[in-house]
């Protein structure tokens, strides 16, 4: 028989838990503020 | 000279960059635009500060809104710099 | 023969009428034709702003105690915007029946829309339509989005039912690009597909138990950036995770998706793969992603709008 050398990959997988929350607040808050600003008849 | 009549008389108009532009450079119109733009810049600065945006972003968004809300027959400046009546 | 032309709209409506006087009842019938180039001035009160396009219609009408009309209308080269959503090059024809019970509209062949800008581009949409102007039935619905295809045999709007839309061949690189990050930290490649049960209500949309999985090998790379390395330094476990996720050859990628009518999407993604640089270390990544999709698309559209304005300015300024 021929010697067989196998480099065993590590058995146990690494488990990673990753939680991501994306917030689009900034751009939409700016738009809300600009909307209220544009109601000001003395400025627009 | 208030802003409303200055606009209806075609002396000033809204620009994409968010500031009031002078169409007919009469002394009153130039004075009015300078005064209004200073106040607008302060307001834009406050919004930018509060929301962590840049002054230009706030001004550009305000310009877009101002042009959208401009009543037909008053002047707006097109992105390539011409004054046209809406 | 009456001819009504509306110069402001450069449109023309011609009607012919013949009185039918018989002993018992009087009545009238005739033909009607309409040609109308579509423009912004006609859009007041429509809720959308028509920009370009041509509307042609012709039909027969009868009046005998009540109105009846049968005819065909055709729209070509339609471009309109609904708020910041831009629809361009819409074409289609439909048969119309109008009588005392109401209207029925039936498309003649597929209606098509070349491009719909909702923040990401939806291209080459086509479907057939049947409607009484309050409930719309779409069949053979097809559109290209995110490098893949979206299709449904039939959809009704509005409806409380969850109706399944199939997606296939979606390009994960384009999905990742939706984050519109100038220097992206995550690089994804590969194609995914699956089924998305959607609730298409009058004014909003919900997704329940959507399921997406990989159609072949997928790869994930975390690109070095200041933010990433500083995160790593702060915590050993985080550094280990980042190293592990730096380069993954993924053989199993699947996601469960739910989105509420307010736009908040919750995606639970399970990724199984190996890190080729770490002796093909087996990795399982349980990734949960929470984001408001309506806000994402709106901010992308605002971005497109400002970019379009900026693009206008550059070349012209050079000429002045």
């Amino acid at each position: 028989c021929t010697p067989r050398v196998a480099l065993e990959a590590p058995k146990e997988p690494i488990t990673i838990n990753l939680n991501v929350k994306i917030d689009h607040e900034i751009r939409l808050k700016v738009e809300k503020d600009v909307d209220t600003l544009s109601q000001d008849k003395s400025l627009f | 000279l208030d802003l409303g009549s200055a606009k209806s008389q075609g002396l000033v108009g809204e620009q994409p960059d968010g500031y009031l532009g002078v169409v007919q450079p009469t002394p009153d119109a130039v004075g009015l635009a300078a005064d209004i733009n200073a106040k607008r810049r302060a307001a834009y600065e406050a919004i930018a500060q509060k929301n962590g945006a840049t002054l230009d972003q706030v001004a550009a968004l305000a310009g877009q809104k101002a042009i959208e809300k401009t009543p037909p027959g008053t002047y707006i400046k097109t992105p390539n710099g011409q004054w046209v009546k809406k | 023969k009456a001819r009504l032309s509306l110069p402001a709209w450069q449109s023309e409506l011609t009607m012919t009428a013949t009185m039918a006087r018989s002993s018992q009842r009087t009545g009238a019938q005739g033909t009607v034709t309409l040609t109308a180039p579509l423009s912004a001035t006609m859009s007041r009160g429509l809720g959308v702003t028509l920009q370009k396009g041509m509307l042609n219609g012709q039909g027969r009408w009868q009046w005998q105690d009540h109105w009846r009309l049968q005819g065909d209308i055709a729209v070509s080269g339609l471009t309109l915007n609904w708020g910041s959503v831009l629809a361009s090059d819409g074409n289609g024809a439909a048969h119309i029946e109008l009588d005392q019970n109401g209207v029925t509209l039936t498309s003649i062949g597929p209606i098509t829309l070349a491009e719909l800008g909702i923040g990401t581009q939806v291209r080459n949409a086509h479907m057939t339509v049947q409607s009484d102007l309050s409930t719309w039935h779409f069949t053979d619905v097809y559109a290209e989005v995110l490098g893949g295809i979206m299709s449904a045999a039939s959809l009704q709007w509005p409806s409380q039912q969850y109706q399944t839309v199939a997606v296939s061949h979606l390009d994960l690189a384009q999905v990742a690009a939706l984050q519109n990050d100038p220097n992206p930290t995550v690089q994804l490649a590969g194609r995914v597909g699956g089924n998305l049960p959607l609730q298409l209500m009058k004014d909003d949309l919900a997704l329940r138990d959507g399921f997406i999985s990989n159609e072949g090998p997928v790869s994930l790379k975390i690109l070095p950036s200041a933010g990433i390395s500083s995160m790593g330094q702060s915590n050993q476990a985080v550094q280990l995770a980042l190293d592990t996720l730096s380069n993954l050859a993924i053989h199993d990628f699947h996601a469960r998706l739910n989105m509420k009518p307010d736009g908040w999407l919750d995606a639970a993604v399970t990724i199984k793969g190996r890190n080729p640089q770490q002796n093909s270390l087996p990795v399982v990544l349980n990734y949960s992603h929470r984001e408001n999709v309506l806000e994402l698309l709106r901010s992308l559209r605002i971005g497109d709008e400002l970019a379009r304005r900026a693009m206008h300015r550059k070349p012209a300024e050079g000429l002045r």
Side-chain angles (χ1 to χ4, degrees), chain C residues 142-223:
Chain C
Y142 169 96
E144 289 157 10
V145 66
L146 293 171
I149 291 168
M150 181 171 72
S151 63
S154 80
L155 292 173
Q156 179 185 310
W157 173 74
S159 161
Q160 298 298 336
Q161 296 289 335
Y162 278 90
Q163 306 172 74
T164 295
V165 169
V167 288
S168 60
H169 220 45
L170 299 180
D171 177 359
L172 281 177
Q174 291 191 38
V175 173
L178 284 176
Q179 292 308 323
N180 209 12
D181 190 342
N183 28 50
T185 47
V186 174
Q187 196 179 49
L188 276 172
R191 299 278 173 163
V192 292
N195 290 312
L196 305 175
L198 294 175
Q199 190 184 40
L200 304 172
M201 291 166 285
K202 190 159 180 334
D203 294 314
D204 41 45
L205 172 78
L207 163 64
R208 189 181 64 189
D209 297 336
F211 180 78
I212 298 271
S213 61
N214 58 314
E215 291 173 352
V218 166
S219 79
L220 163 72
K221 289 192 177 67
I222 295 210
L223 307 172

Side-chain angles (χ1 to χ4, degrees), chain C residues 44-318:
Chain C
R44 273 198 185 64
L46 264 185
V48 293
T49 311
L50 301 168
Q51 292 178 5
K52 271 196 315 196
M54 182 54 112
L55 172 71
N56 290 300
Q58 72 280 334
R60 299 193 49 73
W61 61 271
Q62 282 124 28
W63 183 78
Q64 194 90 32
D65 312 333
H66 45 71
W67 274 100
R68 269 173 59 78
L69 176 100
Q70 287 166 336
D72 295 342
I73 57 166
V75 170
S76 56
L78 171 68
T79 296
L80 61 82
N81 58 323
W82 171 53
S84 50
V85 172
L86 191 62
S88 35
D89 197 8
N91 296 280
H95 182 67
I96 293 188
E97 300 264 345
L98 180 136
D99 56 32
Q100 74 279 14
N101 323 347
V103 182
T104 58
L105 194 76
T106 314
S107 62
I108 304 167
I111 58 172
T112 65
L113 184 64
E115 210 155 335
L116 181 64
I118 56 171
T120 187
Q121 293 307 96
V122 178
R123 292 196 176 85
N124 302 331
H126 54 75
M127 63 201 74
T128 59
V129 183
Q130 216 270 331
S131 170
D132 58 6
L133 299 189
S134 64
T135 306
W136 295 74
H137 300 275
F138 303 97
T139 47
D140 302 334
V141 181
Y142 169 96
E144 289 157 10
V145 66
L146 293 171
I149 291 168
M150 181 171 72
S151 63
S154 80
L155 292 173
Q156 179 185 310
W157 173 74
S159 161
Q160 298 298 336
Q161 296 289 335
Y162 278 90
Q163 306 172 74
T164 295
V165 169
V167 288
S168 60
H169 220 45
L170 299 180
D171 177 359
L172 281 177
Q174 291 191 38
V175 173
L178 284 176
Q179 292 308 323
N180 209 12
D181 190 342
N183 28 50
T185 47
V186 174
Q187 196 179 49
L188 276 172
R191 299 278 173 163
V192 292
N195 290 312
L196 305 175
L198 294 175
Q199 190 184 40
L200 304 172
M201 291 166 285
K202 190 159 180 334
D203 294 314
D204 41 45
L205 172 78
L207 163 64
R208 189 181 64 189
D209 297 336
F211 180 78
I212 298 271
S213 61
N214 58 314
E215 291 173 352
V218 166
S219 79
L220 163 72
K221 289 192 177 67
I222 295 210
L223 307 172
S225 76
I228 291 291
S229 47
S230 66
M231 242 163 55
Q233 266 121 31
S234 64
N235 174 321
Q236 189 53 23
V238 169
Q239 187 55 54
L240 174 66
L242 290 174
D243 293 343
T244 310
L245 295 177
S246 61
N247 183 351
L248 272 190
I250 296 164
H251 50 82
D252 180 3
F253 172 108
H254 57 265
R256 295 200 177 293
L257 307 157
N258 287 283
M259 185 181 80
K260 295 203 195 60
D262 60 10
W264 277 103
L265 170 79
D266 277 297
V269 185
T270 308
I271 289 176
K272 294 188 178 118
R274 290 180 179 281
N275 186 325
Q277 283 151 353
Q278 291 184 346
N279 191 8
S280 67
L281 165 74
V283 178
V284 171
L285 169 64
N286 298 316
Y287 169 69
S288 83
H289 184 96
R290 182 161 165 68
E291 178 168 20
N292 189 304
V293 171
L294 296 180
E295 281 174 9
L296 166 68
L297 291 175
R298 240 159 79 78
S299 72
L300 288 170
R301 288 198 305 270
I302 292 173
D304 289 351
E305 179 65 24
L306 293 179
R308 255 200 306 275
R309 282 177 189 280
M311 229 175 6
H312 270 311
R313 195 167 304 146
K314 280 203 186 69
E317 208 132 350

Side-chain angles (χ1 to χ4, degrees), chain A residues 14 16-20 22 24, chain C residues 282 284 286 288 290-291 298:
Chain A
I14 290 191
I16 299 170
N17 296 322
L18 182 59
N19 303 320
V20 166
I22 307 260
H24 290 284
Chain C
V284 171
N286 298 316
S288 83
R290 182 161 165 68
E291 178 168 20
R298 240 159 79 78

